[in-house]
Amino acid sequence: MQIKVLLNESEMPRQWYNLAVDLPTPLAPPLGPDGKPITPDMLSAVFPMNLIEQEVSQERWIDIPEQILEILYRWRPSPLHRATFLEKALGTPARIYFKNESVSPAGSHKPNTAVAQAWYNKQAGIQRITTETGAGQWGSALAFACSLIGLECKVYMVRISFDQKPFRKMMMETWGATCIPSPSEQTEFGRSILRQFPNTPGSLGIAISEAVEDAVSDTSGKTRYSLGSVLNHVMLHQTIIGLEAKKQLEKIGERNVDVVIGCVGGGSNFAGLAFPFVCDKINGKDIDIIPVEPTSCPTLTRAPFGYDHGDTAGLTPLLAMHSLGHKFIPPPIHAGGLRYHGMAPLVSQALEDGLLNPRSYPQLDCYEAALTFARSEGIIVAPETSHAVAAAIQEARQATEEGKEKVILFNLSGHGLMDLYGYHKYLNNELSNHWLADEEIQRAAKDLKDFPKPHQTV
Amino acid sequence: MQIKVLLNESEMPRQWYNLAVDLPTPLAPPLGPDGKPITPDMLSAVFPMNLIEQEVSQERWIDIPEQILEILYRWRPSPLHRATFLEKALGTPARIYFKNESVSPAGSHKPNTAVAQAWYNKQAGIQRITTETGAGQWGSALAFACSLIGLECKVYMVRISFDQKPFRKMMMETWGATCIPSPSEQTEFGRSILRQFPNTPGSLGIAISEAVEDAVSDTSGKTRYSLGSVLNHVMLHQTIIGLEAKKQLEKIGERNVDVVIGCVGGGSNFAGLAFPFVCDKINGKDIDIIPVEPTSCPTLTRAPFGYDHGDTAGLTPLLAMHSLGHKFIPPPIHAGGLRYHGMAPLVSQALEDGLLNPRSYPQLDCYEAALTFARSEGIIVAPETSHAVAAAIQEARQATEEGKEKVILFNLSGHGLMDLYGYHKYLNNELSNHWLADEEIQRAAKDLKDFPKPHQTV
């Protein structure tokens, strides 16, 4: 029995897959402050034009430049594992596979797009990139990529995480990036927030606003902003995960995957694994595709679909997405990467088109699943990833009940070696579950009501 | 150009290599309290008999049991990388390869022997293993292995590290192990130390004594002790690293390696990579084999060769090795895994036989090298590993000066994601170098003088 499937360099996918072309309903475009679709030019102070072209591309397949492949190949293709020890622990007839994105030097899937974004910026003559980070996975990945490609990198890290997770900052600094707590004194917006709320813990929304302001206010024109999830080109870069997985499954004769699972915050690791399978589903294959989110931030399972801002301050264009409202602050669960009010427009539209079957779990169920996984398969997963593990285990248990030989595939988006405090608190019964009150959902629906409706605007 | 070489399951080595058989001078045996060679029986309260047999084996090749391979295969064969970005940064004509042991779920080479030791203990009917750990790499690896194989695991962690590195303990607990600070109230020896020195930071020597006492005092006979370095069977289990590396180099047509490098504390990661090449050297090949140690703990470069205890309390048998004296406490450098007074008898004897060319570096040189590596190749290495990186860079620079196409191979024994504080301090100029005073070496020579001389006792 094969428990690990590798691919060599020559088998590595050489194109990214663009789901936007195949979605039954075309994506509703981002809208500017005037309520009209924004043009690529309007984004050019924020992103380099080569990435804006990818953001709006109508090509199904986009070539991956050789120099990006050369870097990705240092840890990719990531292994596809068969979780035989977990199967045994569960006594399930299901075959459970996982794609192991934790093998990247930054420990997660994030470098897949960080490397691509840094490279395209460098090609466009950009010398410096700004970004925000919450728990720190994205900031670390971009610091790593900028180090290899030769770009300055400035990371605005949400203050509460900056204080609680000092190792993430050290990681970024080791790769030569600058990391400061947000809100900061270094931007207009940061200063205004600090004047009003000197003791604010900060938020992802504030940090985004600061990073964007930093980029667009550099008069030399040599600075751009970079985002680690949500946008179309980020989803695109991550599809290498699912494209590899398909080759790997084919290699061992697994022709039919029944269930594909990924955790979702902004959507990028889920999209990366799932979109090539969503394509198969659009073409008639019977696959259950499950994005998994925390019950404390149930964007896909409970939030309305509409236009909303990507950041708290409302500085970004309006995106057509499932959203809990751009002012929503999710409860402080340990899976910081899943604490985002919105959802990638591509993932949101795929749900609208009936292609996804989202699910939510409370925190304790996820840690319980992660512990079962760590003690059977030996890998300590990130708190975000634990949501995917919980769903995979539930699917496997159902297969046992039904006596079915189901094939389950999930994305192991990152390891949890920088997030052990959450495990510690779980083992000491110091964690609790969070469910969002119905009033929060009603409030979100009300907040989104004032914006245009997707697909009625163009 | 191939920058990463993989092996599939069928190419994985199926035997370990035992250097003891090929050393020009046979190993001097361990001695008991009476100064006479100890018999296998005398060790049976500490280790299971199947491991004792490996410890004294005179077989050149020892089969790796299938069930051990099945676990190792989850992350092995580890990739062999060509460090092209580092080569470019240095502008060297040398070809630099490294074996990436950081890909194991515990982040280092330690699980190679942890899995084997746990499995042999399980086979022997043992239900519980005790061990000590300093910085935590070994304790984590054994916790990981015991979790997968189904054994209880109890780790005595040096108190100062226990307090300074809480994440290591959380890692062990996540895998189901118990980790307590040493000295503890749970052993006779621990209590006696605490009575004398209530505020002691602890030491590896004390922790070894506690773990051994715990194992031998379990009257059920179901507990044994496990050591993560120094002993012959530990070196044996690690040789899979070098055996894989040879196959990988062969696969890409690199027939002659000029330099083989590994950092040394107790000797296990160095031995793992180097011993198969030491065998080639014994058979006449021209290879420079370089163990690298800190200037603060220069066991191979400056310490005498003689009989000494493996632990501070003097409870273990006398081992024939290079030693700074079993009461020596190395300065508190960040590479905790290299802070050991002695050296594996196999490594020590290989040096005596003129097969090794050891070298030492001060701490700041190592961090400088590690930073160069992190910012070119993208991997943040463990502080221990930084010593191997420093030597590889020095060799590459020499190749540049000589205009030689040298082939350099080093062992990337572990990642530094749990040790970022050292990088932080280096970047903030808070670290310093340590060289051992000549008096310390003279004291060590005097301490060893009272013990028998190796090769004059049997």
Side-chain angles (χ1 to χ4, degrees):
Chain A
M1 180 185 359
Q2 197 149 6
I3 56 169
K4 192 175 66 181
V5 190
L6 302 173
L7 298 176
N8 59 38
E9 191 171 1
S10 67
E11 295 168 303
M12 200 154 152
R14 280 173 150 63
Q15 294 181 309
W16 291 302
Y17 168 63
N18 182 9
L19 177 67
V21 178
D22 290 322
L23 276 181
T25 311
L27 278 186
L31 305 182
D34 57 358
K36 289 186 183 157
I38 54 167
T39 61
D41 273 354
M42 292 165 74
L43 289 172
S44 66
V46 183
F47 301 111
M49 198 48 79
N50 46 17
L51 285 175
I52 296 171
E53 281 162 15
Q54 287 189 351
E55 185 65 20
V56 299
S57 171
Q58 285 302 310
E59 300 290 322
R60 180 173 286 115
W61 296 98
I62 293 176
D63 288 343
I64 310 178
E66 275 302 318
Q67 286 166 300
I68 292 178
L69 284 170
E70 196 198 332
I71 298 177
L72 296 182
Y73 185 58
R74 276 150 208 273
W75 72 94
R76 306 206 68 85
S78 70
L80 178 83
H81 296 256
R82 168 110 181 251
T84 52
F85 288 167
L86 176 65
E87 291 171 13
K88 215 166 159 186
L90 299 174
T92 179
R95 294 194 289 284
I96 308 174
Y97 295 92
F98 62 92
K99 190 72 172 147
N100 188 357
E101 291 295 305
S102 77
V103 299
S104 82
S108 79
H109 67 292
K110 291 288 186 194
N112 297 333
T113 185
V115 167
Q117 290 191 50
W119 188 84
Y120 281 108
N121 271 281
K122 181 88 172 180
Q123 287 299 109
I126 301 307
Q127 292 170 2
R128 182 171 170 274
I129 299 187
T130 64
T131 197
E132 76 293 328
T133 198
Q137 288 276 22
W138 168 244
S140 318
L142 193 64
F144 157 80
C146 285
S147 177
L148 265 61
I149 284 167
L151 287 168
E152 270 185 74
C153 178
K154 170 86 165 276
V155 181
Y156 291 84
M157 185 168 184
V158 176
R159 178 179 289 277
I160 187 167
S161 295
F162 184 90
D163 292 340
Q164 284 175 348
K165 306 194 173 193
F167 292 109
R168 281 288 175 189
K169 179 199 173 211
M170 295 177 195
M171 203 169 166
M172 294 179 231
E173 287 178 345
T174 299
W175 277 314
T178 308
C179 173
I180 62 165
S182 164
S184 76
E185 291 286 353
Q186 300 188 12
T187 66
E188 189 80 34
F189 186 67
R191 286 188 294 272
S192 79
I193 293 282
L194 284 173
R195 268 196 304 273
Q196 294 174 66
F197 314 101
N199 297 317
T200 175
S203 77
L204 216 41
I206 296 167
I208 295 177
S209 305
E210 285 203 272
V212 171
E213 179 187 326
D214 181 328
V216 300
S217 61
D218 176 358
T219 52
S220 78
K222 296 295 187 191
T223 301
R224 290 294 181 281
Y225 164 78
S226 170
L227 187 64
S229 191
V230 181
L231 299 178
N232 300 344
H233 66 275
V234 180
M235 306 297 126
L236 179 80
H237 300 155
Q238 293 292 0
T239 57
I240 194 166
I241 303 172
L243 294 168
E244 285 177 10
K246 290 184 82 168
K247 281 195 179 191
Q248 287 164 315
L249 288 166
E250 202 173 294
K251 210 168 173 178
I252 54 168
E254 282 292 8
R255 300 208 176 278
N256 291 300
V257 177
D258 298 295
V259 189
V260 175
I261 297 167
C263 63
V264 278
S268 80
N269 96 77
F270 165 76
L273 177 68
F275 279 6
F277 295 94
V278 173
C279 174
D280 291 349
K281 183 157 181 153
I282 292 170
N283 292 325
K285 262 208 170 181
D286 181 21
I287 312 177
D288 197 12
I289 300 175
I290 307 178
V292 189
E293 58 191 14
T295 51
S296 55
C297 192
T299 322
L300 288 175
T301 49
R302 294 177 67 197
F305 177 65
Y307 269 112
D308 197 5
H309 291 292
D311 68 323
T312 311
L315 298 180
T316 72
L318 289 168
L319 301 171
M321 60 183 180
H322 280 265
S323 174
L324 290 157
H326 62 277
K327 287 180 181 150
F328 173 70
I329 307 283
I333 58 165
H334 272 268
L338 308 187
R339 295 179 65 236
Y340 184 65
H341 69 275
M343 180 56 63
L346 276 167
V347 174
S348 297
Q349 187 60 55
L351 174 59
E352 289 306 292
D353 283 348
L355 296 163
L356 310 180
N357 187 10
R359 188 180 292 179
S360 70
Y361 289 100
Q363 180 162 255
L364 296 179
D365 293 29
C366 297
Y367 272 106
E368 187 191 346
L371 213 65
T372 300
F373 192 74
R375 293 181 180 181
S376 55
E377 289 295 319
I379 301 176
I380 298 174
V381 302
E384 291 81 3
T385 310
S386 72
H387 291 70
V389 175
I393 289 179
Q394 190 185 350
E395 287 296 311
R397 290 206 165 115
Q398 200 184 314
T400 312
E401 280 169 30
E402 296 169 359
K404 261 194 195 163
E405 266 199 33
K406 206 158 34 171
V407 175
I408 300 166
L409 169 65
F410 76 90
N411 202 12
L412 197 158
S413 55
H415 65 62
L417 299 187
M418 313 283 290
D419 306 279
L420 287 159
Y421 196 53
Y423 282 91
H424 173 75
K425 292 204 338 202
Y426 173 72
L427 288 168
N428 287 280
N429 297 314
E430 292 168 21
L431 293 183
S432 52
N433 285 333
H434 302 267
W435 279 271
L436 221 57
D438 285 338
E439 298 83 70
E440 285 283 341
I441 306 296
Q442 286 151 15
R443 187 200 42 72
K446 220 176 110 200
D447 284 358
L448 264 58
K449 198 170 52 67
D450 296 335
F451 296 124
K453 294 270 157 294
H455 307 297
Q456 299 178 359
T457 57
V458 271
Chain B
M1 180 183 1
Q2 198 149 6
I3 56 170
K4 192 175 69 182
V5 190
L6 302 172
L7 298 176
N8 59 38
E9 190 170 2
S10 67
E11 296 168 303
M12 199 156 154
R14 281 173 149 64
Q15 295 182 309
W16 291 302
Y17 168 64
N18 182 10
L19 177 67
V21 178
D22 289 322
L23 275 181
T25 310
L27 277 187
L31 306 181
D34 56 359
K36 289 185 182 157
I38 53 167
T39 61
D41 273 356
M42 291 165 73
L43 289 172
S44 66
V46 183
F47 301 110
M49 198 48 80
N50 46 17
L51 285 176
I52 296 171
E53 281 163 15
Q54 287 189 350
E55 185 65 19
V56 300
S57 171
Q58 285 301 313
E59 301 288 324
R60 180 173 286 114
W61 295 100
I62 294 175
D63 289 343
I64 310 177
E66 274 303 317
Q67 285 167 300
I68 293 178
L69 284 171
E70 194 198 332
I71 297 177
L72 295 182
Y73 185 58
R74 274 151 210 272
W75 72 93
R76 303 204 71 83
S78 70
L80 178 82
H81 297 256
R82 168 109 182 254
T84 53
F85 287 167
L86 177 64
E87 291 170 15
K88 214 167 162 188
L90 300 174
T92 180
R95 296 195 287 285
I96 308 174
Y97 295 93
F98 62 93
K99 190 71 173 149
N100 190 357
E101 291 295 306
S102 76
V103 299
S104 81
S108 79
H109 67 293
K110 291 289 187 195
N112 296 333
T113 185
V115 167
Q117 290 191 49
W119 188 85
Y120 282 109
N121 271 283
K122 182 86 172 182
Q123 286 301 109
I126 302 305
Q127 292 171 1
R128 182 172 171 274
I129 299 187
T130 65
T131 197
E132 76 293 329
T133 199
Q137 287 275 23
W138 168 244
S140 318
L142 193 64
F144 158 79
C146 286
S147 175
L148 265 62
I149 284 167
L151 288 168
E152 268 183 76
C153 179
K154 168 87 164 275
V155 181
Y156 291 84
M157 185 168 185
V158 176
R159 179 179 289 276
I160 187 168
S161 295
F162 184 90
D163 292 339
Q164 283 175 348
K165 306 192 173 194
F167 292 110
R168 280 287 175 188
K169 178 199 174 211
M170 295 177 195
M171 204 170 165
M172 296 180 228
E173 287 178 344
T174 299
W175 278 314
T178 308
C179 173
I180 63 165
S182 163
S184 76
E185 291 286 351
Q186 300 189 11
T187 67
E188 190 79 37
F189 186 67
R191 286 188 294 271
S192 79
I193 294 282
L194 285 174
R195 268 197 305 273
Q196 294 174 67
F197 314 101
N199 297 317
T200 176
S203 78
L204 215 41
I206 296 167
I208 294 178
S209 306
E210 286 203 270
V212 171
E213 180 188 325
D214 180 328
V216 301
S217 61
D218 176 358
T219 52
S220 78
K222 296 293 188 194
T223 301
R224 289 295 181 279
Y225 165 76
S226 170
L227 188 63
S229 192
V230 181
L231 300 177
N232 300 344
H233 67 273
V234 179
M235 306 297 126
L236 180 80
H237 300 155
Q238 294 292 0
T239 57
I240 194 165
I241 302 171
L243 295 168
E244 285 175 10
K246 290 184 81 168
K247 281 196 181 192
Q248 286 163 316
L249 288 166
E250 203 172 293
K251 211 169 174 178
I252 54 167
E254 282 292 9
R255 300 208 176 279
N256 292 300
V257 177
D258 298 294
V259 189
V260 175
I261 297 167
C263 63
V264 277
S268 81
N269 96 76
F270 166 76
L273 177 68
F275 280 6
F277 295 94
V278 173
C279 174
D280 290 349
K281 184 157 180 151
I282 292 169
N283 292 324
K285 263 210 170 180
D286 182 20
I287 312 178
D288 197 14
I289 300 174
I290 306 178
V292 188
E293 57 191 15
T295 51
S296 55
C297 192
T299 323
L300 288 175
T301 49
R302 295 177 67 196
F305 177 65
Y307 269 112
D308 198 5
H309 291 291
D311 69 322
T312 310
L315 298 179
T316 72
L318 288 167
L319 301 171
M321 60 183 179
H322 279 265
S323 174
L324 289 157
H326 61 278
K327 285 176 182 155
F328 174 70
I329 307 282
I333 58 164
H334 272 268
L338 308 186
R339 295 179 66 236
Y340 184 64
H341 68 275
M343 181 54 64
L346 276 168
V347 174
S348 297
Q349 189 59 56
L351 174 59
E352 289 306 292
D353 284 348
L355 297 163
L356 310 181
N357 187 10
R359 188 178 293 178
S360 70
Y361 290 99
Q363 180 162 256
L364 296 180
D365 294 28
C366 297
Y367 273 106
E368 187 192 345
L371 213 64
T372 300
F373 192 74
R375 293 180 180 182
S376 54
E377 289 295 318
I379 301 178
I380 298 175
V381 302
E384 292 81 4
T385 310
S386 72
H387 291 70
V389 175
I393 289 178
Q394 191 185 348
E395 287 296 312
R397 290 205 165 117
Q398 202 184 310
T400 312
E401 280 169 28
E402 296 169 0
K404 264 192 193 162
E405 266 200 32
K406 208 159 32 173
V407 175
I408 300 166
L409 169 66
F410 75 91
N411 201 12
L412 197 159
S413 55
H415 65 63
L417 299 188
M418 312 285 288
D419 307 279
L420 287 160
Y421 196 52
Y423 282 91
H424 173 75
K425 292 206 332 203
Y426 173 72
L427 287 168
N428 287 280
N429 297 314
E430 292 169 21
L431 293 183
S432 52
N433 285 334
H434 302 269
W435 279 272
L436 222 57
D438 285 339
E439 299 84 69
E440 286 283 341
I441 306 296
Q442 286 150 18
R443 188 200 42 70
K446 222 176 107 198
D447 285 358
L448 263 59
K449 198 170 52 68
D450 296 336
F451 296 124
K453 293 271 157 292
H455 306 298
Q456 299 178 358
T457 55
V458 272

